[in-house]
Amino acid sequence: MPFCRFYPGCDDVRSLGWLSREWNVPVLFCSSTYPDVYDTNQFPTQVSFGPLDAAQFLQGLFGILAHFSWTSYAVVHDTASYARVFEAFVMIIKKNLILAPRFTFVPIDSSVYPRVLFDKVLDKVQSSARIVILMMGSKPTRELMVMAEKTGRTTGDYVYLCIEPYRDFRRPDPLTWRFNDTDDEIAKSAFRSLLHFTSVCFERSAVADGQLMRRIEQQGRVQYGDKYFVNGEVNEYSIAAYYSVMALAQVTAEMETAAEITNGRTMAARFRNRIFTINDQNVTIGTQGVRIIDYCLKSTSTNSAGSFQAVMRYDVLSQRLRPVEELKIDWRRPGNFPPPSRPMCGFTGDDPACQSIWNTTSIASVVAVLTVMLLAAFAAGAWWVNKRASKSSAEWWNLLPAHYIQTDAARKLSRRESRISSRYADLGYRLLGRVREMKPFTKPIFVGQLS
């Protein structure tokens, strides 16, 4: 059958896409893809079942940032050789002239671990952002979170977002706070400020993929002598290869003529805009021939055990972030609201506008305190006066000796007042007698009358 399948690396997608177009032979990719292969005119014979599509993943990441109204971020990204996918994300973001100014990039190299100074990394982050995107493996992520907890950078003002583009079979240790060391409790507390953006969303699909991976591993060991990591994660590329073979079987079974089978464009078109049911899983291929992958946001703040649970799901097709059941993220803030991108007083706490606000507030506070003190003093004085008055009126019947014992001076003054009173009384009586002897006027006299 003139059908060709390749399993190239990420760098070969475009080259093989162009070649397959000229050959008119369909090519199924099981590796990661990037936005430049979406053009079905340039790549009419290409179909991707890969575990990661960079455009979809970044679309989901930016959808989360927009959902919470976050507009400035720091990206701590690993530059080690195994983390090439993170470097690819950084390059895509830097090329976007609209998004790039919002990001501050802080590179680390986990290959020199434990010489990575995460306290210095966090110092750089603090000066420019409170929303921190972590593009690194599980071990450096845990170490950074422990340092953040120890230095007081896991308060409600900070949010850490760890991204997992796909489950990496080269990383045997899953993202967890539990390392069975002395920092476990510190890490558990720190992880309450950590969100996990991943495509491994629900237990059912994880169990099914795990069972499939064990079957693949068993066949590989028996027939080909393959070796695998002990307790390693599911190899997403192996799962993608399995999906592509099973989907190919369904498509070829539907074709009726040899002309359809030998036409790469016709065969590739049968994969697009379709849902394949494989291993009890729905595998969706979009209109551009790329596998559609839904992502979710996980948090450990929903349970006391500190295990990650999906709290929100991002639907790539509808471009919406929806809550999962009744689970809510604990933002570690009063009112449990997501923190803003920028603190009120700026990243370094010296915003002039904030300083003026604080000065105005301080002056108003001083005036208010002085006013209250004056009112309190006035009220206390009024109360004291009222109490004295009340005490005096309440004891009016208690005559003191000074009230009824006259001194010599008082007796002399009393006799003098009595003589003066008698003299004026006699004068009054004599004047009254004269008035009675006077005759009344016979003619009234008006004031101002002319003669």
Side-chain angles (χ1 to χ4, degrees):
M1 179 179 63
F3 186 86
C4 182
R5 287 191 298 112
F6 291 93
Y7 302 92
C10 304
D11 298 335
D12 301 325
V13 171
R14 296 180 64 187
S15 299
L16 289 175
W18 285 326
L19 287 174
S20 66
R21 179 191 63 192
E22 298 303 319
W23 298 335
N24 195 22
V25 173
V27 56
L28 304 185
F29 289 108
C30 305
S31 61
S32 303
T33 55
Y34 294 88
D36 52 3
V37 300
Y38 276 16
D39 189 346
T40 55
N41 292 322
Q42 288 195 58
F43 306 99
T45 59
Q46 177 174 297
V47 181
S48 175
F49 283 85
L52 168 66
D53 177 67
Q56 294 181 45
F57 187 83
L58 292 177
Q59 173 186 313
L61 176 61
F62 298 148
I64 291 174
L65 300 177
H67 178 83
F68 295 116
S69 301
W70 294 329
T71 56
S72 57
Y73 340 93
V75 178
V76 183
H77 59 101
D78 198 345
T79 60
S81 58
Y82 83 94
R84 292 181 60 194
V85 65
F86 297 135
E87 286 297 288
F89 287 161
V90 171
M91 290 178 60
I92 293 174
I93 295 173
K94 287 182 176 179
K95 289 180 180 179
N96 190 312
L97 299 179
I98 298 177
L99 293 175
R102 301 180 179 182
F103 287 82
T104 299
F105 296 97
V106 183
I108 68 166
D109 185 357
S110 63
S111 63
V112 300
Y113 179 87
R115 294 193 297 273
V116 177
L117 303 177
F118 285 110
D119 55 340
K120 303 299 182 182
V121 171
L122 290 170
D123 288 343
K124 293 181 181 179
V125 167
Q126 184 177 0
S127 64
S128 60
R130 292 296 180 271
I131 312 303
V132 188
I133 301 172
L134 305 180
M135 296 185 180
M136 60 183 73
S138 58
K139 191 170 184 178
T141 295
R142 196 250 192 186
E143 293 301 317
L144 183 142
M145 292 305 301
V146 168
M147 182 58 68
E149 179 77 9
K150 291 180 177 179
T151 56
R153 294 183 174 104
T154 54
T155 62
D157 291 334
Y158 287 83
V159 174
Y160 298 86
L161 180 58
C162 176
I163 67 172
E164 183 183 47
Y166 52 86
R167 290 170 293 183
D168 190 349
F169 68 97
R170 293 168 294 185
R171 191 194 65 200
D173 51 326
L175 182 62
T176 178
W177 54 266
R178 190 188 300 277
F179 274 37
N180 295 320
D181 60 17
T182 56
D183 286 333
D184 271 0
E185 290 304 315
I186 297 175
K188 182 180 180 181
S189 176
F191 267 47
R192 295 181 66 83
S193 298
L194 178 67
L195 299 176
H196 188 202
F197 184 53
T198 177
S199 62
V200 186
C201 296
F202 303 101
E203 188 65 25
R204 178 178 176 274
S205 60
V207 171
D209 287 347
Q211 294 173 347
L212 174 60
M213 188 62 213
R214 284 191 290 273
R215 296 204 306 269
I216 295 174
E217 288 182 359
Q218 183 63 25
Q219 290 283 59
R221 288 192 181 98
V222 173
Q223 296 186 12
Y224 307 105
D226 292 339
K227 295 181 180 180
Y228 299 87
F229 285 102
V230 177
N231 299 322
E233 287 287 306
V234 171
N235 186 336
E236 290 279 6
Y237 294 105
S238 298
I239 299 294
Y242 176 82
Y243 287 163
S244 66
V245 172
M246 298 303 294
L248 173 61
Q250 295 182 32
V251 169
T252 53
E254 298 168 355
M255 294 184 173
E256 299 178 353
T257 64
E260 291 181 302
I261 297 176
T262 58
N263 190 325
R265 287 173 172 79
T266 301
M267 181 172 282
R270 285 182 174 269
F271 286 90
R272 301 192 191 104
N273 198 27
R274 179 171 176 175
I275 299 176
F276 296 91
T277 302
I278 305 171
N279 196 38
D280 295 329
Q281 303 292 316
N282 289 332
V283 180
T284 303
I285 303 298
T287 57
Q288 296 165 320
V290 179
R291 178 181 167 189
I292 303 299
I293 303 174
D294 289 338
Y295 297 95
C296 63
L297 194 64
K298 290 184 175 182
S299 173
T300 66
S301 65
T302 57
N303 60 89
S304 58
S307 58
F308 279 106
Q309 288 183 295
V311 291
M312 306 192 82
R313 179 176 179 177
Y314 184 79
D315 188 328
V316 173
L317 295 178
S318 64
Q319 300 184 15
R320 291 184 179 180
L321 191 66
R322 296 186 176 91
V324 176
E325 298 178 351
E326 298 299 325
L327 298 178
K328 293 184 178 180
I329 301 171
D330 180 9
W331 296 107
R332 309 179 83 170
R333 294 168 58 84
N336 200 35
F337 295 107
S341 291
R342 184 178 183 275
M344 183 179 66
C345 294
F347 297 116
T348 56
D350 57 357
D351 191 313
C354 183
Q355 296 297 324
S356 62
I357 292 174
W358 280 111
N359 291 338
T360 303
T361 304
S362 300
I363 294 173
S365 300
V366 170
V367 172
V369 170
L370 292 176
T371 302
V372 171
M373 292 176 64
L374 289 174
L375 291 175
F378 177 79
W383 174 83
W384 182 81
V385 172
N386 183 59
K387 182 178 180 181
R388 289 293 301 269
S390 299
K391 183 176 180 180
S392 300
S393 60
E395 299 178 354
W396 59 270
W397 63 85
N398 293 331
L399 295 177
L400 298 177
H403 295 160
Y404 54 84
I405 299 177
Q406 292 185 341
T407 61
D408 293 339
R411 282 194 292 270
K412 292 180 181 179
L413 179 61
S414 177
R415 285 196 296 269
R416 182 181 178 186
E417 290 176 349
S418 297
R419 287 196 298 270
I420 293 173
S421 299
S422 299
R423 186 180 306 167
Y424 280 106
D426 293 339
L427 179 59
Y429 283 124
R430 288 197 295 271
L431 289 174
L432 181 61
R434 293 286 182 91
V435 170
R436 287 176 178 175
E437 294 176 356
M438 293 178 65
K439 293 182 180 179
F441 293 105
T442 57
K443 183 178 179 180
I445 299 175
F446 297 98
V447 178
Q449 183 178 0
L450 296 176
S451 57

